[in-house]
Amino acid sequence: MDQVEFQIRRSVEQVEEGTDLAPKFGADGLLPCITTDAETGEVLMLGWMNSEALKRTIETGEAHYFSRARQVLWHKGATSGLVQKIVEARVDDDQDAIWLRVRVAGSGASCHVGYRSCFYRAAPVGEDAGKPLKFTEEQKTFDPNAIYGDSPNPTQL
Amino acid sequence: MDQVEFQIRRSVEQVEEGTDLAPKFGADGLLPCITTDAETGEVLMLGWMNSEALKRTIETGEAHYFSRARQVLWHKGATSGLVQKIVEARVDDDQDAIWLRVRVAGSGASCHVGYRSCFYRAAPVGEDAGKPLKFTEEQKTFDPNAIYGDSPNPTQL
């Protein structure tokens, strides 16, 4: 396993058209990461990565994020067993976002509420704009209380 | 077409388990939006929305973003013709991220560099960590110079 070093961003051409990995983290040191099920294409979650999380993800082949709620590096699945194995990691044009295609261990869920995907509700659009959200998953895949116990809920108001 | 009003965030239960649309925008007034091809599941781009962009997206059924580079509301496709029609709009568990499944007009591209997806390069992981990025699309779908002319490139170093 190599140690990953990021390249310095020198030009738009290098960043957009080159083969250097030269990610741009935001003012808070984080960039967004889209994680999809490699088989179904379903978006499972949107997480955040700092430099260390991105390096460990690339080096280990398992998704690591930075928890904004807990302000710590987070090896996804360390508590729940629902580890995300990387099938493919992609970077976007200006290298300020990551897309991970993963296979999830265990039940295949990625959402702390218990659903498979964090995106389990649809907002009606167009003529139906303003109507209540509709659930797209009917059943939870696990009981969050059984997995996380008394850990504080990461959702912040 | 209804005017969309967002609900006030009152409790974790309301936000995670309810049918109220009560999005949480970041300190900069923005939230990230994942946009995928409704047919193939491919991630096309990660954009940003302010409150107005999200409302217009829901009301019109066409993706609107907030351009961080230009600091303006941005009706995707207004310049290029590559409008994104919403097939489904989803919100995540804590409602601080949006997932749009879209059909793209015209050539189907969504990337200002000319590729179909903004995520046209893969970063090798695990044993191959540290190796150069690999292109996953071989050809551009359009010539950015022909479409955007002298407009400033949105990529920032």
Side-chain angles (χ1 to χ4, degrees):
Chain A
M1 179 164 68
D2 287 15
Q3 288 294 316
V4 171
E5 291 298 330
F6 301 140
Q7 304 299 311
I8 293 167
R9 295 166 68 90
R10 295 185 310 271
S11 69
V12 170
E13 191 182 0
Q14 170 216 19
V15 168
E16 289 187 345
E17 307 275 7
T19 60
D20 285 355
L21 181 58
K24 181 182 177 110
F25 296 89
D28 56 3
L30 306 179
L31 56 69
C33 172
I34 301 159
T35 304
T36 64
D37 184 302
E39 200 160 320
T40 66
E42 183 178 40
V43 176
L44 298 173
M45 58 183 282
L46 185 134
W48 297 87
M49 290 181 170
N50 63 1
S51 176
E52 189 182 358
L54 180 54
K55 285 183 180 174
R56 290 217 193 172
T57 296
I58 290 172
E59 288 165 1
T60 65
E62 295 184 351
H64 290 66
Y65 304 96
F66 182 81
S67 166
R68 295 188 303 174
R70 292 180 284 131
Q71 292 283 307
V72 292
L73 186 76
W74 165 36
H75 180 195
K76 175 77 180 169
T79 301
S80 64
L82 303 169
V83 168
Q84 297 175 336
K85 292 266 187 193
I86 314 297
V87 173
E88 189 177 45
R90 295 208 202 171
V91 65
D92 77 342
D93 42 22
D94 56 353
Q95 303 205 24
D96 65 358
I98 299 290
W99 169 22
L100 299 180
R101 297 176 54 231
V102 304
R103 276 198 202 97
V104 184
S107 70
S110 287
C111 173
H112 77 279
V113 180
Y115 295 102
R116 195 174 64 242
S117 162
C118 292
F119 294 85
Y120 50 81
R121 287 169 298 180
V125 302
E127 287 180 5
D128 292 327
K131 290 189 178 171
L133 301 177
K134 281 187 185 173
F135 280 74
T136 56
E137 294 190 38
E138 293 188 355
Q139 289 199 316
K140 296 189 180 185
T141 61
F142 66 88
D143 173 5
N145 289 330
I147 300 287
Y148 298 113
D150 293 333
S151 301
N153 189 309
T155 291
Q156 298 177 325
L157 292 183
Chain B
M1 180 164 70
D2 288 15
Q3 288 295 316
V4 172
E5 292 298 329
F6 301 141
Q7 304 299 311
I8 293 166
R9 295 166 67 91
R10 295 186 312 268
S11 70
V12 170
E13 189 181 359
Q14 171 217 17
V15 168
E16 290 187 345
E17 307 274 6
T19 60
D20 285 355
L21 180 57
K24 183 182 176 114
F25 297 88
D28 55 4
L30 305 178
L31 55 70
C33 171
I34 302 158
T35 304
T36 65
D37 184 301
E39 201 160 320
T40 67
E42 183 179 38
V43 177
L44 298 174
M45 57 182 284
L46 185 133
W48 297 86
M49 291 180 170
N50 63 1
S51 175
E52 190 184 357
L54 180 54
K55 285 182 180 175
R56 291 217 193 172
T57 297
I58 290 173
E59 288 166 1
T60 66
E62 294 184 354
H64 290 66
Y65 302 96
F66 182 81
S67 165
R68 295 187 302 174
R70 292 181 284 132
Q71 292 283 306
V72 291
L73 186 76
W74 165 37
H75 181 195
K76 175 78 179 167
T79 301
S80 64
L82 303 169
V83 169
Q84 298 175 337
K85 291 267 186 193
I86 313 299
V87 173
E88 188 177 47
R90 294 209 202 171
V91 63
D92 77 340
D93 43 21
D94 56 354
Q95 302 204 25
D96 65 358
I98 299 291
W99 170 20
L100 299 181
R101 296 176 53 232
V102 305
R103 275 195 203 98
V104 185
S107 71
S110 288
C111 173
H112 77 278
V113 180
Y115 294 103
R116 197 173 62 243
S117 163
C118 293
F119 294 85
Y120 50 82
R121 289 170 296 181
V125 302
E127 287 180 4
D128 292 326
K131 291 191 178 169
L133 300 178
K134 283 189 183 170
F135 280 74
T136 56
E137 294 190 38
E138 294 189 355
Q139 289 199 317
K140 295 188 182 186
T141 61
F142 66 89
D143 173 6
N145 289 330
I147 300 287
Y148 298 113
D150 293 334
S151 300
N153 189 308
T155 291
Q156 299 178 325
L157 293 180

